Amino acid sequence: SLRREWLMDDSRLPQVAPDAPVVGIPLCMYALDLLPFYRALFARCGFRTVVSDPTNRKTIAAGLDAVVAEPCFPVIVAHGHVADLLARQVDYVFIPGILNVETRWMETESHVCPWGQTLPHVIRRSPAFESVRPEMWLAPTIRFRDGRDVVRKSLRRMGQQLRVPNRIMDRAVGEAFAAQDTFVAERHTAGAAALETLTATGERGIVLVGRPYNMHDVGVSLSVQRKLREFYGVNVIPMDFLDTDGIDITDVNSAMYWNYGRKILAAAKIVAAHPNLDIIYITNFKCGPDSFVKHFIRTTSGKPFLTLQFDGHSNDAGMMTRCEAYLDSKGILRPVQTQKQTQRV
């Protein structure tokens, strides 16, 4: 997809020495949104980066072997991504503790979920990784909400671990934010163009809402975005292609302290303003915050919506049946593939 191309684009990164130390970045959880920031940060500090393979059966099996508690499926998958990187014998593994996210709505918090906040601590305590040398883990605590200067200062501590001078780390953080801003701007430009086209033509569209690791990890979501487009001809706009940051949701929920919850409700307000848009909510079976947030979607959007909960099953028949029924109820079911092709999904 276009988003994945932008996410994985390393053409703007500086050249790094081929014998430079290698930092492994698990392609899971918030890396599915913040990867441009992460890779620019390390490249500007003179490190090579390696990204784990997209989620597959091997990743999932390794995650199930490594996990100790019973977290949601994306956290299980995260263990598998770390195992993938360790098998490649990288020099470091980067698993930051993201506590919150940048927001203009400072009257309430902008937390990510507790599993995401504590991910580095959970993973490092797994018996599967107990032989990993402590200095291999790069696990800074990052509070994006507190401002870019605070992020810069907090990452200096990781710089000390890597023997990177403060002036170089400071410059790297600035470049990392610039790379992330570009990624966000690309998405918003494409989303605005898609929305403008749908408004002009009156065609129906589906806005996918959810967390990036639910929507955009094809191994978690069973490629539902692609299948909606290819098999049913649906116009799909993921919510992170919409500029939701300027939309006030306090009339719906004045204390939405989950960052993605706020964005999801803001996307629902956009849907409410466009008669030709509907919602499919992508989540996972054990997501506590989503179990709370989704109850506000119907009243916010003013429309019935479909929830798809993924839990690690690899058969998509049930999910696609639900999609067909939902699209049919909206009068927009239009299969574009032959039966023979559909059987290969």
Side-chain angles (χ1 to χ4, degrees), residues 92 134-139 157-163:
Y92 301 96
E135 60 270 20
M136 283 186 62
W137 300 112
L138 300 178
R157 289 191 285 272
M158 184 180 72
Q160 293 169 2
Q161 180 182 348
L162 295 172
R163 298 181 181 178

Side-chain angles (χ1 to χ4, degrees), residues 23-27 31 35 38-39 42 49-52 85 92 94:
V23 176
I25 302 176
L27 189 59
L35 184 62
Y38 296 165
R39 294 210 295 185
F42 288 111
T49 54
V50 169
V51 179
S52 57
L85 293 169
Y92 301 96
F94 181 63

Side-chain angles (χ1 to χ4, degrees), residues 51 56 92 103 119 160 205 207 245 251 256 260 308 341:
V51 179
N56 53 56
Y92 301 96
T103 181
L119 188 64
Q160 293 169 2
V207 174
D245 290 339
D251 58 324
M256 180 52 68
Y260 288 112
L308 296 178
Q341 289 172 314

Side-chain angles (χ1 to χ4, degrees), residues 9 106 119 143 149 154 197-198 216 225 229 248 261 270 290 293 298-299 301 343:
D9 181 20
M106 299 299 288
L119 188 64
R143 297 175 172 86
D149 285 339
S154 66
T197 298
L198 290 180
H216 300 303
Q225 285 192 51
R229 289 191 298 267
D248 186 358
I270 292 175
D290 275 355
V293 172
R298 177 68 184 268
T299 53
S301 67
Q343 289 173 348

Side-chain angles (χ1 to χ4, degrees), residues 173-214:
V173 172
E175 294 289 342
F177 274 116
Q180 190 66 31
D181 290 343
T182 296
F183 179 51
V184 171
E186 289 172 333
R187 297 195 320 247
H188 288 174
T189 298
L195 194 58
E196 182 179 355
T197 298
L198 290 180
T199 301
T201 62
E203 284 194 47
R204 301 290 292 273
I206 295 291
V207 174
L208 293 186
V209 303
R211 299 158 196 281
Y213 45 86
N214 286 327

